[in-house]
Amino acid sequence: MAFQYSNDLGESDEFVRHKPYTSARNSTGLNFVYLLLGTLFGFIFVKAEIVSWFRIQEMFRFDSFHMYGVIGSAVVVGALSVQIIKRLKLKAFNGETISIAPKTFNKGQIYGSLLFGIGWAITGACPGPLFAQIGAGYLAVTVTLLSALLGTWVYGYVRHRLPH
Amino acid sequence: MDIFKIPWPWYIAGPLIGLTVPALLLLGNKPFGISSSLRHICAACFPANLPFFSYNWRDEIWNLLFVLGILIGGYIGGVLLENPDDIVIASHTREVLSGLKINDFSGLLPLDLFSTENILSAKGLVFLVAGGFLVGFGTRYAGGCTSGHAIMGLSNLQWPSLVATICFMASGILTTFYIIPVLLKFLL
């Protein structure tokens, strides 16, 4: 059903994969690694203070290089890694050939990003940091997360009426 | 242990965050992207027969475990190994925010806005509810957030991700300069 729908919109759906999927049943150990990786990641998020509302304000006000340094160096390391993986045609540990689905352009990337930018500046959090802020003890952010879930759901509900 | 309590500089944290991209690819051919987790939670809990949420979310359970990990990591870094000092931000930002009546600079977020007492107030309605809604709706409409577009998309040299990144940065800058001061003036 999701497949037909994505074709209706003339775009590929990132969760409809044209490859045999690896189901959760044969990768319980691997799932634990994702949990660990997430934990490490959340820890770095907090230590780099990129989950801080203050740091986001500082970034958008161009008062500090910190956030630009974090995102910029992450992109450089990410891009080099992707190049190496592609050049060496590396396989994933689960045996899959590594393939990254290209992002196809649609106007949602403009409209959606403009809306997201407002939310990012107001909450001081993109989706990842929301989880880290709650973990760091800011329990009020649970409301932000629930509201973000509602926003996601409403998007799914009105999607076919929105310009893409 | 001090090194695990004090804030880390960008040149340590940034490359480590960048390494998440190859780590996820090499582990199980997974693209780095966090906002998708919100979609999977919707698909798992209240799909409501909507086509957008009709897929096998169990195949994406790794993503949910990843964000659960982020929450745990946030607890370790923000509570167990909490930075004992006030947050250090650029003096200009601090001056501007003080001028807008933000008083609490002790932690990662100002409790003037993000305390649990504010949940049922106008502050909560704007900074938690409305802000959160825009994050959820906007990232899904855009097909990604800072991780999926700015880091993963740009790492893979995808121009639509560059468009998205420019749009949410521009919008965040305009919101910070023209909307947030007005909101704070009315709410604080």
Side-chain angles (χ1 to χ4, degrees):
Chain A
M1 193 167 182
F3 177 64
Q4 282 179 341
Y5 182 69
S6 58
N7 274 351
D8 289 347
L9 261 180
E11 59 185 85
S12 62
D13 189 299
E14 56 196 311
F15 299 113
V16 183
R17 306 254 171 86
H18 303 276
K19 63 181 182 189
Y21 57 81
T22 47
S23 70
R25 73 190 123 84
N26 59 18
S27 54
T28 316
L30 202 55
N31 278 335
F32 181 70
V33 181
Y34 290 119
L35 183 74
L36 270 184
L37 197 62
T39 305
L40 195 65
F41 196 60
F43 183 78
I44 299 167
F45 264 15
V46 171
K47 286 303 143 194
E49 295 179 336
I50 65 169
V51 304
S52 167
W53 185 85
F54 294 115
R55 289 293 197 179
I56 305 300
Q57 281 290 301
E58 193 187 55
M59 166 182 76
F60 284 141
R61 291 185 173 279
F62 305 106
D63 284 341
S64 164
F65 181 71
H66 182 78
M67 286 294 301
Y68 296 100
V70 170
I71 298 175
S73 58
V75 171
V76 170
V77 169
L80 284 173
S81 312
V82 168
Q83 280 307 312
I84 293 170
I85 287 172
K86 281 184 174 172
R87 294 273 160 89
L88 300 180
K89 297 192 175 74
L90 295 180
K91 283 197 175 205
F93 290 132
N94 65 358
E96 280 181 38
T97 307
I98 293 175
S99 62
I100 311 169
K103 304 262 184 197
T104 32
F105 178 74
N106 69 69
K107 284 181 241 119
Q109 281 145 7
I110 295 174
Y111 304 133
S113 294
L114 291 174
L115 294 173
F116 164 49
I118 302 172
W120 190 14
I122 289 178
T123 62
C126 27
L130 280 181
F131 294 94
Q133 289 177 349
I134 296 169
Y138 292 91
L139 298 182
V141 179
T142 312
V143 176
T144 318
L145 178 62
L146 289 174
S147 195
L149 283 170
L150 179 69
T152 304
W153 190 88
V154 169
Y155 170 72
Y157 189 74
V158 299
R159 186 182 195 221
H160 59 288
R161 280 181 243 155
L162 296 171
H164 277 87
Chain B
M1 283 305 268
D2 247 19
I3 192 169
F4 292 112
K5 287 193 174 180
I6 56 166
W8 294 359
W10 64 265
Y11 49 85
I12 303 286
L16 286 174
I17 290 170
L19 284 176
T20 313
V21 171
L24 289 173
L25 287 173
L26 289 170
L27 268 174
N29 192 22
K30 307 295 187 202
F32 180 40
I34 299 177
S35 62
S36 304
S37 65
L38 302 175
R39 181 178 174 188
H40 303 328
I41 296 172
C42 287
C45 300
F46 15 82
N49 278 324
L50 291 172
F52 192 63
F53 300 118
S54 301
Y55 58 92
N56 190 2
W57 60 270
R58 283 180 187 82
D59 292 336
E60 310 296 332
I61 206 144
W62 71 273
N63 195 277
L64 298 176
L65 288 163
F66 188 71
V67 294
L68 177 66
I70 292 179
L71 194 140
I72 297 169
Y75 176 73
I76 297 172
V79 177
L80 296 182
L81 296 168
E82 187 186 11
N83 175 14
D85 302 319
D86 279 12
I87 191 163
V88 180
I89 53 167
S91 55
H92 182 251
T93 305
R94 192 172 167 133
E95 277 163 32
V96 171
L97 293 175
S98 298
L100 292 166
K101 300 213 187 91
I102 296 277
N103 295 317
D104 173 38
F105 289 88
S106 62
L108 294 165
L109 286 80
L111 291 178
D112 309 87
L113 298 171
F114 298 97
S115 70
T116 44
E117 290 94 69
N118 287 340
I119 289 177
L120 294 174
S121 69
K123 289 178 221 168
L125 195 66
V126 172
F127 282 86
L128 305 173
V129 179
F133 188 91
L134 286 168
V135 169
F137 188 92
T139 52
R140 208 64 272 124
Y141 195 178
C145 57
T146 332
S147 56
H149 275 313
I151 296 180
M152 184 72 216
L154 292 184
S155 288
N156 197 28
L157 313 176
Q158 298 293 303
W159 70 266
S161 290
L162 184 62
V163 172
T165 305
I166 290 170
C167 287
F168 60 66
M169 289 303 296
S171 155
I173 291 162
L174 291 175
T175 305
T176 297
F177 277 98
Y178 300 107
I179 299 179
I180 288 182
V182 179
L183 291 175
L184 292 179
K185 206 172 216 172
F186 279 104
L187 295 171
L188 288 180

